[in-house]
Amino acid sequence: YEEALIFERGRDGACGVDLPEPEGVTPRLNGMARKGAIGLPGLSEPEVMRHFVRLSQKNYSIDAGFYPLGSCTMKHNPRLNEKMARLPGFADVHPLQPQSTVPGALELMSELGRWLMELTGMPAVAMSPKAGAHGELCGLMAIRAALEARGEADTRTRVLVPESAHGTNPATAAACGFSVDAIPATEDGRVDLAAFEAKLGEDVAGIMLTNPNTCGLFERDIRKIADAVHDAGGYFYCDGANFNAIVGRVKPGDLGVDAMHINLHKTFSTPHGGGGPGAGPVVLSDALAPFAPLPYVVKEGDKLRLIEDEAASDADPFGRMVAFHGQMGMFVRALSYMMSHGSDGLRQVAEDAVLNANYVLASLKDVMSASFEGPCMHEALFDDRFLKGTGVETLDFAKAMIDEGYHPMTVYFPLVVHGAMLIEPTETESKSTLDVFIGCMRELTRAAKAGETERFTNAPELTPRRRLDETAAARKPILRWTPPAPAQAAE
Amino acid sequence: YEEALIFERGRDGACGVDLPEPEGVTPRLNGMARKGAIGLPGLSEPEVMRHFVRLSQKNYSIDAGFYPLGSCTMKHNPRLNEKMARLPGFADVHPLQPQSTVPGALELMSELGRWLMELTGMPAVAMSPKAGAHGELCGLMAIRAALEARGEADTRTRVLVPESAHGTNPATAAACGFSVDAIPATEDGRVDLAAFEAKLGEDVAGIMLTNPNTCGLFERDIRKIADAVHDAGGYFYCDGANFNAIVGRVKPGDLGVDAMHINLHKTFSTPHGGGGPGAGPVVLSDALAPFAPLPYVVKEGDKLRLIEDEAASDADPFGRMVAFHGQMGMFVRALSYMMSHGSDGLRQVAEDAVLNANYVLASLKDVMSASFEGPCMHEALFDDRFLKGTGVETLDFAKAMIDEGYHPMTVYFPLVVHGAMLIEPTETESKSTLDVFIGCMRELTRAAKAGETERFTNAPELTPRRRLDETAAARKPILRWTPPAPAQAAE
Amino acid sequence: MRYLPLTADDRQQMLGVIGAKSIDDLFVDVPEAARIDHAFDLPPHQGELEVERALSAMAAKNVSAGTVPFFVGAGAYKHHVPATVDHLIQRSEFLTSYTPYQPEISQGTLQYLFEFQTQVALLTGMEVANASMYDGSTACSEAVQMAHRVTRRTKAVLSGNLHPHYRAVIETNSRFAGDAVVALEANVTGTEDLAAQIDGETSCVVVQYPDFFGNIQDLSAIAAAAHEQGALLIVAIPEIVSMGALRAPGEMGADIVVAEGQSIGNPLNFGGPYVGLFATRQKYVRQMPGRLAGETVDVDGRRGYVLTLSTREQHIRREKATSNICTNSGLCCLAFTIHLSLLGEQGFTRLAALNHESACKLAGDLEQVAGVDVLTQAFFNEFTIRTPKPAVEVIDALAEKGVLGGVPASRLMPGNEAVRDLIIVAATEVNTDADRAAYKAALAEVLS
Amino acid sequence: MRYLPLTADDRQQMLGVIGAKSIDDLFVDVPEAARIDHAFDLPPHQGELEVERALSAMAAKNVSAGTVPFFVGAGAYKHHVPATVDHLIQRSEFLTSYTPYQPEISQGTLQYLFEFQTQVALLTGMEVANASMYDGSTACSEAVQMAHRVTRRTKAVLSGNLHPHYRAVIETNSRFAGDAVVALEANVTGTEDLAAQIDGETSCVVVQYPDFFGNIQDLSAIAAAAHEQGALLIVAIPEIVSMGALRAPGEMGADIVVAEGQSIGNPLNFGGPYVGLFATRQKYVRQMPGRLAGETVDVDGRRGYVLTLSTREQHIRREKATSNICTNSGLCCLAFTIHLSLLGEQGFTRLAALNHESACKLAGDLEQVAGVDVLTQAFFNEFTIRTPKPAVEVIDALAEKGVLGGVPASRLMPGNEAVRDLIIVAATEVNTDADRAAYKAALAEVLS
């Protein structure tokens, strides 16, 4: 069925809420009252309910199927966490209430911070960044602030970023006023240590490195890299997007990291929500801790206090990243998840995530082309060599997976291999789900090699929409509904 | 996709809850401890979540589409009601807590009772029946108790029930020890008054009448019927399943009714839930009120008290129908719905329900065969005359609707017309939904008449399953999963 | 009016199509005297905020179980329900769907009912189960009616330790159906001689397991005694969690097992909605009340589920139906099925062990209070104590102190002087050491 | 470990397939020194019941807005959110879906984003809007960066009555990006001379509407002044409900409008997650930050939606992207879209009227308290009062009395002596007559 836009469905006089009639006090709007109509459609509650239920039914979701989506860590989202986040004591609390009325909220922030610091082995955490990329910005600002304190902010302006990095890394560095210098990868999918060392110099502010990296591999030379960048006077920013692979088994603090953001919506299972909201707290080393942004929670005796301004701060905060205190709703969910797993469970998370990925790698590498030898960490990278000459591209292969009931894996990322297919099963998929998935992938591989090209190039066929014309969308963008021209409307 | 049974998915060692290890106190089970395994499957939480989400996706629902299901009143289920029913003060309260700890629960019951009595114009209400049929039983028991009190229980054993009645009516009468005598209908779809009067006599306990009746028509002679049955020494039980058509416009108490159940899941929108739970409070006339079953709430000064046993009762309760006090969870939802509509809104409910039904009737009667002239009340009855000679049966027509995105209307009920199709839109469908539906019905009618028979006999084709073999299911019933034979399991 | 999509314009247009002048034209069949034109003595429509405030204020007057040390049972039990359960049952496709009469678009409901039936059969140790009854008490009464059909006899013999409400429901139904009921006196130690009551007229014997006072007894002997006279044994289980620790009635010769399923997946709800479980032997299936989901295939040969054996039911058989039940407890079964799926073998048996342990600890604590006797020797998660004061007074005094300490037996057996000082006390996995300590301390104070 | 499906058996089998002896074999690339074998200083796993108890205990320590007379605003507002909203956003298909990069199986998300963009454009009176930013403050900062790109200038001029946190975010970002910021002093009556600060270097002027103290001003003049110098006018709206009562910035010449969308559909959440609205003129669309959903057709010619113009974004353009934003506020947009769909024109404008009325009544009440001056002449649902004592003391004393009476301006402008006695007070549709009376009475007591 088709579902029209709400603007095409609504009509005057219908309304999905009942509000009391205003009593009619004298307004104090000083002539600034709105004159014309806004143009919002009127719909009753049942219509709104059905509209959005029907829209939802056009979506794929982790609750309904497997997302082998590399680098995105689409794991199970426990509903306990949703319930906890909706406790009125968390959800119905204003960020600017007197601090005396929110001790439990501060306790929650402090407790989550404690878990993050312990798990990462880092001495400080900045809670306010609103997503992973925002956390990156926080980390780079802390680095820049540290350089300022050293008087080197104007000279150290270059940030080294591996080719395989997420796009947010270079974008963040640029937003923070740095120039970006790409580091090539070696044959085995890791940072080219020699090339990296050759790029070090007095203008280097630091390196941004994802570990495990976006090829799903642990950077074996991580300590060397950390030491080298430190020796060169720079800082080590670690992109924590892949922390899921090592949580409970490796402390980034032991690897020489100066700053690392943690995507609560990846490792700690807050739901992706079709694109957000996330949360990106950043753990910081002793070198960067003094520059952590406002606000932050401190312990004063047995009380917690939120430091909101520089005057009240004993440290040297680099500024403020958001209006209030961060993604409280996500903090609650993440802490609920952490407490549920505990120290032992979180370690098991990493182990099972890595085990699942290696199982997929081992079970597919004879038919698909694995980009690197195993073991991998939490994700397995393939490239399109196995499709050579079949007329099937990585994209077609991905779209064919949709008709088999899967969300495609991440494709064309990382950029370091051709036609990349990055598979991350996560720890919350069962062996039987993986077995069926492996069977399906082997069958698709067979079909591609057998010349059943149309099964791929026509895919998907079983979806609410088939392939959409993205070029047309971008060429002449239609970004909103507009009312039909009056002539038509008058019909 | 296929979804296996949980029993086929589970395995030893997996578990979807974390419970602490028992400490190991000495058990006091006296040798009655379970020995063997129960045979329940083990699954993790993500697996359970996905299993039931996927199952749900195989269901049709009112939130996703229109149910023109006559006699069932599938209307919008507001989520406010769900939220209210989950308030801990209602949901987390035990029926046997001291009454001093549940004044709000008694207030809710009392308040709902007040609404029901005022809307029906009846002086008493029995809250405990758990569904409509259970309410019928309550009403008939009250009648029988009244007859007992008059010393006529052994002689008045016959209950008159129109042919068009819901199956629950005769089944209930039988369960209450009455014999059932069917009253024929007239050409115009109503009780045959002459036939009815002819059946009255000293052995008649009463009549069970649905009004508006199951043909969607108001029994014009209702007062005459009531008077006649009363004059003959019997009682008038009204099946309130169709109260939605008249709520706020007609008080059953004004029609001479002695007892009427109210399906809270129809008129007052508590969700059908795939078959329940419902709730069936019964309003009672002065003649029957003293016999209302235990428990019930009385006002003592400004306090409410729950009368749970005969000794505490000033009246003459006929007994007890359920262990506790009724469907509290449904009471909360229904009261929330009533308060939201208010006196004015409930009247509008009836008006819009009737308007919608007549609109459908008026818009389809030129192509389908309306069983009776309008106006109808809240539902429009068609029969299969218009399909004569097309090779399409009522059932086929209904199944073809599924492929068009609709739940079928009620078919083959009431029994008084051939191949009945009973359409009840309810008040919560918009004109535009009805217009699209009418268009679809007209198109199907055209197709049937044009000889496109396979479109009907093969339908549905776009569903998770096509037509199922009900005969085979009944011939050799498989009512549960059984483990595969050991030989197979050992493979 | 947020739930009503029709606008004034819509209504005018529609009346035009119908050919009516006003809405009143559509109500012409209503006798003029019965048409209401005035407002009812009820308030007008209100917004969400106002309704929510009013209902929340009512709810806030009640003491909810989760906020106090809580030991109330006697047929309904406070357990922890995982968040997943309540989330899933609120999915539109479950919550707002109709009875699965159209199987092609109801496979979700039908499959979970099939899973539910299997779970119930496994827990009770029986061969088949139906797709639910209203609650344990009505299921029990339906079992008696079914036994009458199976045996073509009409006398039921009830244990004195059957839940008094269950007994009352059976007696009420039987009285109107013209059937006989013999019920024994309550016996707190569970030593009644039920077998002596069974004769050649007896259709069934109804026992509770664990019984009303918490006693656990081997049912094999009473099953044998019933069978010897051609009667059926009906076993009622008010606390289904007990099946994770105790021998199943099916292993001991039960013919029909009914249970209250509230404990798994469903909140206390002040008594409802709950879910009645109903299981029996394969050979009696056509005499069963209630809906049944069965496995079959579709025209393409794919496995699927339908409602089956509906020729037992009222919508087909009318006055000859095995029961008048129509709406059952669909969504409550779903909650049950989901919760039990989460628990699985390991979780369910551990839950039972924790419940038993909680009760054992509590019994140990209360035994130490001067003047208190624990009367139940073998029990699952519920037992009976005798106090030196009338139980109602004790329970009310405990409530004043913020402890909900159980159910006075006299509340359910009014007029029975023998039970005046008895309190039925339940303990579950939700009770903490602090809860138990609070109970013990409060009880000592109340009795001092 | 309820969330982990692998059993010990599974793990063994899988290691076998991989050809590894133990899980440690898979971590060989981790430097030995960094492998943790000991337990962390954290508790072990816990069941739902235990986690729920611990977190509920924390939550219970906070005073939640719904339980007291509540008048706190200054950038986040307490409104009633219909139950439908929270129900719908929890549907698996919305809650647990990924960013809609695969449009064929994401039409639900893409269509609501398209609807959201349209709603935001309509409310602000602008031509286009994006699919959300993190919140109002970051959206405002992104707007400044965008203005720099559009104008190829790097100096922003900020009104002194811009929310101090918004200003701080802009200043922080600008400092690291090497851009200039000129910010005026706060001015409680809203009579600053902003136009005088605009020169040929100025890329944008940022004003708040209504401003931080609640003042409403016509923006046409400042728009004209900005445009005259080739600068853009950025308007920040912290309370989007105001758009139901006030002229839209788009009608007054705004070039970029950003807003905090929390008020519609989203709870207070102690500050997050919220949803930033971002709207601009069509001609600037390629300089916009953030995701955009656009209309197109599929290979069968059917209308559908995709993410578009992604060559602005970081995952394509990397260091040349218009923003580093990736995850946005998807689910919060959905809540916004649903709530606004329920409201519609009639509900939204009435909601705004009720908010204004609530604030007018409150201002009238507080004016009567001895020593209190209402300083804001024209306002929407928020205004500023001056008290004869330092505002922090007054607010703390009110909190002691159970009234949350607003935000001391000094909390957000520490060190500014001029605002020491000012309280920013917000009133919305949730405030009752009783709430206002309680505030008035408590304030009188505190000041007496």
Side-chain angles (χ1 to χ4, degrees), chain B residues 3-4 6 8 15-16 19 23-25 28 30 32-34 37-41 45 51-52 55-56 59-63 67 69 72 77-79 83-84 86 88-89 91-94 96-97 101-105 107 118 133 141 144 148 165 167-168 170 172 176 190 220 248-249 251 271 273-277 308 318 320 323 327-329 340-345 347-348 351-352 356 399 427-428 431 465-469 473-474 478-481, chain C residues 1-5 11 13-14 23-24 27 29 31 36 40-41 43-46 52 58-59 61-66 70 72-73 76 78 84 86 90-99 102-106 108-109 111 114-115 117-118 122-123 126-127 137 165 169 172-173 175-176 243 245-247 268-270 272-273 285-286 294-300 303 305 308 314 318-319 324 327-328 331 341-345 350 356-357 361 378-379 411:
Chain B
E3 189 63 20
I6 49 167
E8 296 161 341
C15 188
L19 294 169
E23 293 167 29
V25 301
R28 297 173 70 160
N30 193 24
M32 293 298 291
R34 178 181 277 279
I38 302 166
L40 298 171
E45 182 180 297
H51 176 71
F52 288 100
L55 285 189
S56 78
N59 272 3
Y60 193 86
S61 70
I62 187 78
D63 277 353
Y67 267 84
L69 200 60
C72 299
N77 303 138
R79 286 316 189 283
K83 186 176 175 186
M84 293 300 94
R86 285 169 172 79
D92 193 27
V93 174
H94 192 288
L96 298 177
Q97 286 181 211
T101 66
V102 291
E107 185 180 345
E118 172 66 14
M141 284 178 172
R144 186 124 190 205
E148 275 175 4
T168 49
T172 299
C176 198
R190 293 172 171 92
R220 292 190 203 104
R249 282 197 70 115
K251 288 183 173 183
E308 294 180 283
F318 69 67
R320 168 178 283 276
Q327 305 285 69
M328 184 68 171
S340 295
H341 279 87
S343 179
D344 50 339
R347 183 183 173 88
Q348 192 68 53
E351 293 184 0
D352 285 359
N356 273 352
K399 296 295 185 190
E427 72 281 3
T428 60
K431 178 172 177 295
R465 285 291 177 275
R466 293 182 56 221
R467 287 201 210 179
L468 291 129
D469 190 341
I478 306 174
L479 304 176
R480 59 172 284 190
W481 174 84
Chain C
M1 308 253 184
R2 59 193 182 271
Y3 305 139
L4 300 178
R11 293 186 186 110
Q13 282 183 47
M14 292 166 79
I23 189 74
D24 292 335
F27 284 84
D29 289 331
I36 308 277
F40 284 59
D41 182 17
H45 70 278
Q46 293 183 68
E52 199 168 328
M58 273 187 219
K61 294 176 190 168
N62 304 322
V63 176
S64 61
F70 186 86
V72 187
K78 165 78 181 163
T84 301
D86 197 44
Q90 289 188 72
R91 274 184 66 79
S92 295
E93 295 84 346
F94 288 134
L95 186 76
T96 78
S97 57
Y98 189 62
T99 308
Q102 299 289 341
E104 300 90 345
I105 46 175
S106 310
T109 299
Q111 183 168 334
F114 188 81
E115 293 175 341
Q117 291 169 186
T118 307
L122 288 169
L123 292 183
M126 303 299 286
E127 290 163 358
S137 69
H165 284 171
V169 175
T172 300
N173 285 323
R175 178 157 74 92
F176 291 112
M243 290 300 101
L246 300 181
R247 287 177 64 192
L268 288 168
N269 276 336
F270 197 53
V285 72
R286 283 169 205 272
E295 182 182 318
T296 187
V297 291
D298 77 353
V299 293
D300 298 326
R303 181 172 72 173
Y305 305 90
T308 191
Q314 48 74 27
R318 302 178 77 86
E319 61 265 34
N324 77 332
T327 295
N328 63 13
L331 207 67
S341 299
L342 286 166
L343 287 163
E345 183 85 19
R350 180 175 282 196
H356 183 52
E357 190 160 283
K361 286 184 189 170
F379 55 80
R411 179 166 176 182

Side-chain angles (χ1 to χ4, degrees), chain D residues 143-165:
Chain D
V144 169
Q145 300 302 316
M146 173 173 151
H148 293 349
R149 290 191 296 273
V150 168
T151 60
R152 296 168 195 268
R153 302 175 182 175
T154 59
K155 188 174 87 177
V157 172
L158 315 188
S159 159
N161 290 355
L162 178 63
H163 193 295
H165 285 171

Side-chain angles (χ1 to χ4, degrees), chain A residues 189-191 209-211 213 217-222 225, chain D residues 29:
Chain A
R190 293 173 172 90
V191 166
L209 187 66
T210 309
N211 192 30
N213 70 24
L217 303 172
F218 198 92
E219 294 281 355
R220 292 188 204 103
D221 294 327
I222 182 119
I225 294 169
Chain D
D29 289 332

Side-chain angles (χ1 to χ4, degrees), chain B residues 58-124:
Chain B
K58 296 172 191 285
N59 272 3
Y60 193 86
S61 70
I62 187 78
D63 277 353
F66 178 37
Y67 267 84
L69 200 60
S71 211
C72 299
T73 315
M74 291 294 289
K75 62 167 72 169
H76 173 61
N77 303 138
R79 286 316 189 283
L80 173 64
N81 307 349
E82 295 303 308
K83 186 176 175 186
M84 293 300 94
R86 285 169 172 79
L87 290 170
F90 295 135
D92 193 27
V93 174
H94 192 288
L96 298 177
Q97 286 181 211
Q99 291 198 20
S100 60
T101 66
V102 291
L106 301 183
E107 185 180 345
L108 189 126
M109 289 175 71
S110 169
E111 184 67 5
L112 177 63
R114 181 173 79 87
W115 280 76
L116 294 175
M117 290 186 285
E118 172 66 14
L119 288 171
T120 57
M122 302 281 280

Side-chain angles (χ1 to χ4, degrees), chain B residues 138-283:
Chain B
C138 177
L140 289 205
M141 284 178 172
I143 289 172
R144 186 124 190 205
L147 292 171
E148 275 175 4
R150 282 160 49 185
E152 298 183 72
D154 294 338
T155 52
R156 291 192 177 268
T157 56
R158 193 156 50 96
V159 168
L160 307 181
V161 181
E163 289 175 345
S164 62
H166 298 112
T168 49
N169 289 182
T172 299
C176 198
F178 291 112
S179 65
V180 175
D181 193 359
I183 319 172
T186 58
E187 283 291 292
D188 75 344
R190 293 172 171 92
V191 167
D192 183 329
L193 200 61
F196 158 69
E197 284 174 348
K199 283 180 185 285
L200 288 172
E202 294 202 343
D203 64 338
V204 167
I207 181 172
M208 298 183 83
L209 188 66
T210 309
N211 192 29
N213 71 25
T214 61
C215 299
L217 303 172
F218 197 90
E219 294 283 355
R220 292 190 203 104
D221 295 326
I222 182 119
R223 279 270 18 159
K224 282 184 205 153
I225 294 169
D227 292 346
V229 77
H230 287 154
D231 289 348
Y235 295 95
F236 176 9
Y237 185 88
C238 183
D239 181 325
N242 294 343
F243 187 51
N244 199 57
I246 56 173
V247 60
R249 282 197 70 115
V250 179
K251 288 183 173 183
D254 293 342
L255 304 175
V257 166
D258 290 301
M260 182 178 95
H261 75 266
I262 296 156
N263 303 84
L264 297 185
H265 51 293
K266 294 182 181 179
T267 307
F268 299 113
S269 88
T270 72
H272 277 69
V282 177
V283 287

